[in-house]
Amino acid sequence: MKLEKSSRFSACPGPVVTIVLDGVGISPREDGDAVKSARTPTLDRLMATYPMTTLLAHGTAVGMPSDEDMGNSEVGHNAIGAGRVFAQGAKLVAESIATGHLWQGHAWHEVVAAAKHGGTLHFLGLFSDGNVHSHIDHLRAMLEQAKQEGVSKVRIHILLDGRDVGETSALDYVDPFEAYLEQLRGPGFDVAIASGGGRMTITMDRYEADWAMVQRGWDIHVQGKGRPFASAHEAIVTYRDELSVIDQDLPGFVIAKDGEPVGPIEDGDAVVFFNFRGDRAIEISRAFTEEHFTPFDRGPLPKVTYAGMMQYDGDTHLPPRFLVQPPAIERTMGEYLAKNGISQYAISETQKFGHVTYFWNGNRSGKFDDALETYVEIPSDNVPFEQRPWMKCAEITDDLIKAVRSGKYRYLRVNYANGDMVGHTGNFEAAVTAMQGLDLQLARLIPAILAAQGTAIITADHGNADEMYELDKKGNVKRNAEGRTKAKTSHTLNPVPFVLISGAANPGYKLRQDVLAPGLSNLAATVLNLLGFEAPDDYDASLIEPA
């Protein structure tokens, strides 16, 4: 894994810093764009002064099945860190189902066997077609296969989305799905929705930010303890009337019949967590599979056959049983740098810490070299993001500036979570405030990098805050008869910025014009060139060439 010294590029005399403004895309319109609406004099000046282009951050450019698929933080950071594009979870699962490989695997055979020997087969996961964490079509395929293979009882635990799809679209999925289940149900095949709740309320916590979310989900899905309703439709309508919250924030519920929950998880059952993306699947998987588990009291632990759609953490082998092999991402930029003695520093707050570490390193936990790498996590506040849209950007910048000035690190990377996490709330004014808070930090950070004779790259992993209102088929903002807009909480298909900032009068390079449809995977080779190395032959092309 030796990197060749470049004869074409001189190494930057100071540090090279990659700044990921998570969820900050480049929209073709101003209406509903919190990025353009915000007062961002620093970012505006940098984009006008220094070499800039845009990068693709969605679809096939980041390994998704089609160019109609949004990118997300996980695949985006995979692409940035790996320097190449790998087929990602959604595509891998769809291909595994289409070819029948999923049904031929040991994991599928084991969950079906458990269910056929007197147990119930449970499916738990994000219930939408957002294709970011999961896809409802994957669930349908597994239900049909389970029926075909003779499973007699199935229960489904639905996590309502409203984040990667429309913010109040839950009934658009639940009602047709209930009709589908009615058609699927029959003699010898008992299938029903058993529990549910909003994805930001129960079950789908990540990075151990709020284990209470997972405990609430555990109590509802496993123990059947929660507010009872006759149907998921009734639960959603009732909570909306009572609380006026969007889907992702709906409280948990249990479907009950004659006063008893219809689908608690019990000894001898099988459970499939059908999310393919790892970050929000790890904690619930730990609750099901760890013998010595301390984050919360699980109560009586049912002995179940548990499988994830994919293995969510390759280093800890979590979960041990999984249906589809994850992409094998090796020889990442971080590993190359560590093997060649280059010191690295990665920082973010809790919400995106795993992205500049685990996902950046190819879905790998831990460091490549403890002596050369420093990872810093700033604990996120456990409050709704729209109530504190600046999040931890100032604290991150404090530590990052110290690291730049220390002279200890040749390569640094940072993720500022604001554009994405606040964008997901659908609150336009909060997203504008988030962008203005970020701009203040860029005004502090960039001078520190330039003073250290460094080079900064400003980019993003996907869009979000750049499109805060729902669009029609022509790409215009939707408005009702009163002129009101509808909030958009999902990622966008817009490209993201690439701004290359150096204080040198003649840095010795210029942007290439011959890279067709550049994407996030082109960043790694660019960074290696800035550090004075040639990129590996199979890395996607650098964005710079000698001046």
Side-chain angles (χ1 to χ4, degrees):
M1 294 197 63
K2 180 176 175 54
L3 290 170
E4 298 297 326
K5 294 284 187 181
S6 178
S7 60
R8 302 180 304 132
F9 297 99
S10 298
C12 173
V16 176
V17 185
T18 299
I19 303 165
V20 179
L21 304 181
D22 207 303
V24 178
I26 305 292
S27 169
R29 66 191 66 77
E30 293 193 11
D31 198 7
D33 184 344
V35 178
K36 290 191 178 82
S37 296
R39 184 178 181 277
T40 54
T42 301
L43 184 59
D44 295 346
R45 176 180 58 81
L46 294 172
M47 294 171 78
T49 304
Y50 292 96
M52 178 186 167
T53 188
T54 59
L55 306 177
L56 295 175
H58 75 285
T60 56
V62 289
M64 300 298 281
S66 79
D67 287 335
E68 298 302 311
D69 293 307
M70 299 174 293
N72 60 64
S73 298
E74 291 64 41
V75 301
H77 285 79
N78 275 170
I80 296 172
R84 294 150 288 162
V85 177
F86 289 82
Q88 290 291 341
K91 186 174 183 179
L92 292 173
V93 174
E95 289 175 351
S96 185
I97 290 172
T99 61
H101 287 163
L102 194 153
W103 323 129
Q104 298 161 15
H106 290 300
W108 178 257
H109 287 313
E110 288 170 351
V111 297
V112 167
K116 290 173 70 174
H117 283 83
T120 299
L121 176 53
H122 299 264
F123 291 101
L124 166 62
L126 186 64
F127 190 70
S128 79
D129 57 2
N131 220 29
V132 174
H133 290 266
S134 66
H135 199 294
I136 198 170
D137 286 351
H138 303 161
L139 173 61
R140 291 175 187 265
M142 290 187 292
L143 290 171
E144 291 164 18
Q145 185 69 19
K147 179 179 180 180
Q148 183 178 323
E149 294 192 30
V151 173
S152 60
K153 186 176 180 181
V154 175
R155 292 294 180 262
I156 305 157
H157 307 266
I158 60 174
L159 302 172
L160 304 173
D161 195 342
R163 190 173 175 94
D164 298 324
V165 295
E167 63 176 2
T168 54
S169 59
L171 293 178
D172 296 337
Y173 298 99
V174 167
D175 291 348
F177 191 76
E178 289 282 24
Y180 163 78
L181 292 184
E182 185 60 35
Q183 295 295 318
L184 197 62
R185 195 176 291 123
F189 191 64
D190 174 11
V191 59
I193 295 174
S195 71
R199 59 179 282 181
M200 296 304 288
T201 304
I202 63 169
T203 311
M204 277 178 59
D205 183 44
R206 66 177 174 191
Y207 308 145
E208 303 188 51
D210 186 5
W211 273 105
M213 278 177 61
V214 188
Q215 182 170 13
R216 288 192 292 271
W218 181 268
D219 291 345
I220 286 164
H221 310 312
V222 178
Q223 299 181 355
K225 294 180 178 178
R227 183 172 173 180
F229 292 91
S231 68
H233 180 104
E234 181 186 67
I236 293 164
V237 171
T238 301
Y239 280 145
R240 284 181 180 169
D241 288 344
E242 292 178 355
L243 303 174
S244 299
V245 296
I246 60 177
D247 296 343
Q248 61 182 314
D249 297 322
L250 288 167
F253 56 85
V254 171
I255 307 304
K257 184 177 181 180
D258 299 326
E260 295 295 325
V262 301
I265 298 173
E266 301 173 332
D267 281 349
D269 289 353
V271 180
V272 172
F273 194 76
F274 62 86
N275 286 19
F276 47 73
R277 179 170 137 184
D279 57 342
R280 294 190 183 275
I282 286 174
E283 290 172 43
I284 189 65
S285 295
R286 286 182 56 191
F288 273 107
T289 60
E290 284 186 6
E291 181 178 357
H292 303 291
F293 180 81
T294 58
F296 62 84
D297 182 4
R298 295 176 292 188
L301 178 63
K303 296 177 181 178
V304 301
T305 302
Y306 181 84
M309 180 62 88
M310 305 186 75
Q311 189 165 69
Y312 304 126
D313 189 330
D315 281 351
T316 60
H317 305 293
L318 182 77
R321 184 184 292 106
F322 53 97
L323 302 181
V324 179
Q325 290 285 341
I329 302 177
E330 28 68 54
R331 295 187 300 105
T332 62
M333 173 172 58
E335 184 175 8
Y336 269 112
L337 293 177
K339 294 289 176 65
N340 286 268
I342 304 300
S343 54
Q344 301 175 69
Y345 179 94
I347 186 171
S348 187
E349 62 179 276
T350 304
Q351 287 295 331
K352 297 291 180 175
F353 176 68
H355 295 76
V356 289
T357 54
Y358 173 83
F359 291 106
W360 193 286
N361 290 333
N363 306 334
R364 181 189 188 279
S365 296
K367 300 173 184 174
F368 296 107
D369 189 322
D370 284 336
L372 287 171
E373 295 176 273
T374 298
Y375 295 169
V376 177
E377 176 184 357
I378 305 296
S380 290
D381 292 321
N382 191 13
V383 298
F385 302 113
E386 69 272 21
Q387 294 181 14
R388 202 167 294 173
W390 46 88
M391 299 179 67
K392 291 295 184 180
C393 64
E395 291 87 343
I396 291 170
T397 306
D398 290 343
D399 281 19
L400 183 54
I401 288 174
K402 291 176 185 175
V404 167
R405 289 174 175 168
S406 74
K408 289 172 56 179
Y409 306 103
R410 288 289 291 131
Y411 180 59
L412 302 93
R413 57 187 185 260
V414 58
N415 179 297
Y416 288 109
N418 308 62
D420 189 39
M421 303 311 295
V422 181
H424 276 310
T425 70
N427 187 314
F428 182 83
E429 293 301 328
V432 169
T433 301
M435 287 304 306
Q436 293 177 170
L438 282 177
D439 198 69
L440 291 172
Q441 304 317 311
L442 290 176
R444 299 172 57 211
L445 175 60
I446 297 301
I449 296 171
L450 296 181
Q453 295 185 285
T455 298
I457 294 171
I458 294 178
T459 190
D461 51 348
H462 57 77
N464 190 331
D466 45 290
E467 204 169 277
M468 296 292 295
Y469 300 149
E470 291 283 356
L471 305 178
D472 61 24
K473 293 181 179 179
K474 294 183 179 180
N476 299 315
V477 171
K478 291 181 182 177
R479 282 186 163 78
N480 64 15
E482 290 78 37
R484 294 197 183 102
T485 58
K486 185 174 183 180
K488 179 175 180 176
T489 55
S490 62
H491 296 169
T492 75
L493 301 178
N494 294 326
V496 299
F498 172 86
V499 188
L500 189 53
I501 302 161
S502 169
N506 181 14
Y509 56 76
K510 60 182 180 180
L511 286 186
R512 291 177 62 172
Q513 304 299 317
D514 60 340
V515 180
L516 299 177
L520 296 178
S521 58
N522 297 97
L523 285 166
T526 309
V527 168
L528 292 175
N529 287 167
L530 292 169
L531 291 168
F533 296 106
E534 291 295 343
D537 290 341
D538 62 344
Y539 269 35
D540 288 343
S542 172
L543 297 170
I544 60 174
E545 62 184 356

